């Protein structure tokens, strides 16, 4: 059964809107959360439960509350990015609030070394990217707002899959921004088999990490 953008309509609710508006979600198969933090160059901090506590950790860092986590002590002058990592169904999953590390071209080969990665990102200006990567091989990359313009070794073959999960793969300029975000989550599920639900995100155990900005 194919995942569909409508399965992720809950992202548009008040509870999850802060994540959907500006986020980066990175899923790497077969490695631990600790290894993903290492690949990101992140110092591990405290453990939290659920996306609301992830949001609180990000807000505390943005507010300059360096007492919130021992991992920040002595690093007040560094430019760091907050990344929350969990382990779900054999995948290390990194969630960034208003971040982008998991879709950074220079980091992708290292994050996907020896395995495969699916990551997608959107910022407050609706700039977005989707990546399917195996080691140094780019299998698929596109901007969800413009799914007709794709690159990667599997770009042409993915047209039917993109349409099935809810993307409009025509070259039309009139796009539903919210629909492209939910379709990106559906495509992530289709490629990984990792089904994200509100309850899973409310109960997932995350380690907060602090990674240097590239």
């Amino acid at each position: 059964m194919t995942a569909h953008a409508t399965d992720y309509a809950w992202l548009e609710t008040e509870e999850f809107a802060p994540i959907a508006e500006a986020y980066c979600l990175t899923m790497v198969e077969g490695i631990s959360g600790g290894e993903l933090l290492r690949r990101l160059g992140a110092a591990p901090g405290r453990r939290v439960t659920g996306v609301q506590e992830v949001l609180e950790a990000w807000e505390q860092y943005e507010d300059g509350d360096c007492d919130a986590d021992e991992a920040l002590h002595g690093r007040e002058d560094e430019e760091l990015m907050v990344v929350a990592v969990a382990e779900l169904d054999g995948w290390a999953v990194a969630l960034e609030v208003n971040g982008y590390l998991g879709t950074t071209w220079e980091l992708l080969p290292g994050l996907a070394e020896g395995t495969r990665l699916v990551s997608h990102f959107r910022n407050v200006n609706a700039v977005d990217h989707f990546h399917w990567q195996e080691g140094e091989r780019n299998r698929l990359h596109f901007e969800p707002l413009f799914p007709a313009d794709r690159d990667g070794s599997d770009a042409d073959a993915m047209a039917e899959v993109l349409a099935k999960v809810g993307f409009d793969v025509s070259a039309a300029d009139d796009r539903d921004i919210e629909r492209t975000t939910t379709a990106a989550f559906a495509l992530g599920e289709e490629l990984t088999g990792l089904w994200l639900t509100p309850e899973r995100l409310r109960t997932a155990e995350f380690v907060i990490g602090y990674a240097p900005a590239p």
Side-chain angles (χ1 to χ4, degrees):
M1 185 174 180
T2 302
H4 193 268
T6 53
D7 299 331
Y8 288 88
W10 50 266
L11 285 164
E12 300 171 18
T13 64
E14 183 178 357
E15 180 181 1
F16 293 98
I19 299 293
E21 184 180 60
Y23 76 93
C24 183
L25 183 70
T26 305
M27 298 167 281
V28 185
E29 186 177 28
I31 66 171
S32 68
E35 173 61 14
L36 181 52
L37 286 169
R38 187 195 69 78
R39 293 183 182 195
L40 287 165
R46 69 188 188 278
R47 293 182 177 273
V48 301
T49 300
V51 293
Q52 292 307 311
E53 291 191 10
V54 171
L55 280 165
E56 289 171 10
W58 174 76
E59 289 170 352
Q60 286 172 336
Y61 177 73
E62 289 294 297
D63 290 341
D65 183 3
C66 290
D67 292 330
D69 197 317
E70 290 185 4
L72 288 170
H73 292 175
R75 306 185 68 179
E76 291 84 355
D77 296 330
E78 295 183 54
E79 184 181 358
L80 302 172
M81 301 183 70
V82 178
V83 55
V85 173
E87 297 178 6
L88 299 171
D89 298 344
W91 293 77
V93 178
L95 176 62
E96 301 172 64
V97 182
N98 200 28
Y100 56 83
L101 290 175
T103 55
T104 307
W105 281 108
E106 56 264 39
L107 295 181
L108 282 169
L111 294 177
E113 182 180 359
T115 184
R116 62 189 179 116
L117 166 152
V118 171
S119 63
H120 46 101
F121 145 89
R122 169 184 159 174
N123 70 14
V124 293
N125 297 315
V127 174
D128 53 9
H129 289 279
F130 189 102
H131 292 270
W132 176 20
Q133 183 97 5
E134 288 193 4
E136 296 187 358
R137 178 186 173 196
N138 167 28
R139 297 193 64 174
L140 175 68
H141 164 255
F142 67 101
E143 296 177 51
L145 269 176
F146 306 103
D149 185 11
R150 306 181 298 277
D151 59 85
S153 62
D154 293 64
D156 293 337
M158 289 295 293
E160 184 176 351
V161 175
L162 265 64
K164 284 183 176 179
V165 300
F167 284 106
D168 177 1
V169 294
S170 72
D173 292 330
D174 186 17
R175 304 254 177 231
D176 181 340
I177 293 173
E178 305 308 325
R179 175 63 171 264
T180 60
T181 298
T182 56
F185 274 80
L187 181 58
E189 178 187 335
E190 192 70 13
L191 292 175
T192 65
L194 181 57
W195 182 29
L196 297 178
T197 66
E199 190 59 25
R200 293 201 83 177
L201 291 179
R202 291 182 189 117
T203 59
E205 297 292 326
F206 292 92
V207 174
I208 301 297
Y210 303 91

